[in-house]
Amino acid sequence: MSDEKNDAGLPTPRDDSGEVIGVRKGMFGAGNGGDTSGYGGLVRTVTLPGATSRPYGGWFDEVADELEGALEEQDLLPSEAIGKTVVDRGELTFHVEREHLVRVARTLRDDPALRFELCTGVSGVHYLGDKGRELHAVYHLRSLTHGRLIRLEVSAPDSDPHIPSLVEVYPTNDWHERETYDFFGLIFDGHPALTRIMMPDDWQGFPQRKDYPLGGIAVEYKGAQIPAPDQRRSYS
């Protein structure tokens, strides 16, 4: 059971304790003597929140019911479009299958009872241990009509990093998708001009991925030579 409580004062239950995708040792993930924090003996699991069972609490159930009903009206089973629904840290997140992302987003935008008119952008996340779903895209949708905020999350494997673009539904996502592509390598199919936005066009790799090398150049400072970041310590 979760420590969070819904509007009725009841704990919000979970169907499981979460998905363990890895184990971290030490405080900062440094190996080969690079961890100088004194916490090198720490061992903890990396866990993603598991699915939440109903009732979700408050208006979360109203949004979930309306979305599921609207998808059924389009002859799409909600279970085919939504992998799981998570209530965690006071936020409602729908984990959407990538092939149904555009339809779910358009439904959330256009349904009068939902009216999530604004997408504030997309952020990328790279979970090395989440095998087959290493790359995640997270969207925050806001309803100006109803004063609500929800999240959509979509995953793709490193071997096939394709996710449909939402620019046709939320035009403000244009540059956000470019930035997520630039740093994480997620390819947003259907984007009008998916090019790098921060890094040079000929840059190799995607700097925000967890397996990206630190790189860098040596710097002189007050007569001392400071090694490049990837030469200072070894990281696991």
Side-chain angles (χ1 to χ4, degrees), residues 15 45 187:
D15 291 333
T45 58
I187 300 172

Side-chain angles (χ1 to χ4, degrees), residues 44-181:
R44 67 183 180 89
T45 58
V46 181
T47 306
L48 300 181
T52 305
S53 59
R54 288 175 180 271
Y56 303 139
W59 53 263
F60 290 174
D61 290 282
E62 179 184 340
V63 169
D65 289 342
E66 185 62 35
L67 175 59
E68 292 175 5
L71 293 177
E72 288 175 348
E73 291 176 359
Q74 302 173 49
D75 296 323
L76 176 60
L77 291 176
S79 59
E80 293 181 359
I82 302 172
K84 66 177 179 180
T85 302
V86 175
V87 176
D88 188 61
R89 295 173 175 83
E91 293 185 317
L92 174 65
T93 303
F94 295 109
H95 289 252
V96 181
E97 302 298 332
R98 54 179 171 171
E99 60 269 25
H100 299 299
L101 174 62
V102 175
R103 184 184 294 193
V104 170
R106 185 177 287 111
T107 301
L108 286 165
R109 184 194 67 181
D110 294 344
D111 189 286
L114 296 169
R115 292 298 289 157
F116 287 91
E117 308 101 325
L118 175 65
C119 179
T120 59
V122 55
S123 301
V125 190
H126 189 207
Y127 294 109
L128 278 173
D130 197 11
K131 300 304 181 184
R133 311 177 301 188
E134 292 86 357
L135 294 168
H136 290 235
V138 181
Y139 305 81
H140 288 82
L141 305 185
R142 182 174 294 279
S143 171
L144 304 179
T145 299
H146 302 292
R148 296 168 174 174
L149 179 69
I150 64 172
R151 300 167 75 250
L152 300 183
E153 189 162 338
V154 186
S155 62
D158 269 336
S159 58
D160 182 26
H162 290 263
I163 289 177
S165 171
L166 286 187
V167 171
E168 66 176 85
V169 182
Y170 297 109
T172 53
N173 262 22
D174 190 338
W175 285 15
H176 293 282
E177 289 183 1
R178 286 181 59 193
E179 183 179 34
T180 305
Y181 160 72

